[in-house]
């Protein structure tokens, strides 16, 4: 069994910061790419940022220069540091982790989501 659990969401005023965490646990051999996605009401889920096991990062244009994705491979945990938050960043944020099991299978797991609300 593998679990992916996000934490760190909340409410903040525009210009503020939040750090999200994503912890993968269970029967994990290794974690490949990890990514953060978000879904605002009435909109499709979109990629915010992702990071490979080697540390290569990719960001959506809307968050470049404001958000930073990083990870601790020893803890199978990923993070999203969000600075200079804007009201349009309001969404449910989901973590996705590509997990390799001890049997060698690769599967993507999603967390349950964490709400981020940014007010003026």
């Amino acid at each position: 069994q593998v679990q992916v659990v996000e934490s760190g969401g909340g409410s903040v005023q525009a210009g503020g910061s939040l750090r999200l965490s994503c912890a993968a646990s269970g029967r994990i051999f290794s974690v490949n790419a990890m990514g953060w996605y978000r879904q605002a009401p009435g909109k499709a889920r979109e990629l915010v940022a992702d990071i490979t096991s080697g540390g290569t990062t990719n960001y959506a244009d809307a968050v470049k220069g404001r958000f930073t994705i990083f990870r601790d491979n020893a803890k199978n945990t990923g993070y999203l540091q969000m600075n200079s938050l804007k009201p349009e960043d309001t969404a449910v944020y989901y973590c996705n982790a590509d997990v390799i099991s001890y049997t060698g299978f690769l599967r993507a797991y999603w967390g349950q989501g964490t709400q981020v609300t940014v007010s003026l």
Side-chain angles (χ1 to χ4, degrees):
Q1 298 287 351
V2 173
Q3 286 188 315
V4 173
V5 178
E6 302 103 336
S7 60
S11 296
V12 65
Q13 288 189 320
S17 298
L18 285 173
R19 177 178 291 185
L20 306 183
S21 299
C22 169
S25 63
R27 299 182 62 81
I28 296 172
F29 177 74
S30 66
V31 179
N32 281 2
M34 299 184 80
W36 288 96
Y37 294 73
R38 67 186 181 186
Q39 188 166 18
K43 294 188 176 181
R45 189 173 298 189
E46 62 178 4
L47 175 68
V48 176
D50 57 23
I51 183 169
T52 68
S53 58
T56 300
T57 58
N58 173 56
Y59 295 92
D61 288 342
V63 306
K64 282 181 181 176
R66 300 188 298 120
F67 291 10
T68 302
I69 188 171
F70 59 102
R71 61 190 288 172
D72 183 336
N73 289 336
K75 295 181 179 179
N76 291 328
T77 299
Y79 304 90
L80 185 68
Q81 177 66 41
M82 305 185 293
N83 298 328
S84 302
L85 282 161
K86 304 175 180 180
E88 50 264 44
D89 295 319
T90 296
V92 178
Y93 283 70
Y94 297 90
C95 175
N96 178 276
D98 290 338
V99 174
I100 297 178
S101 68
Y102 284 105
T103 57
F105 288 104
L106 173 67
R107 176 183 166 182
Y109 290 86
W110 289 92
Q112 80 286 356
T114 185
Q115 177 70 46
V116 171
T117 302
V118 185
S119 59
L120 288 170

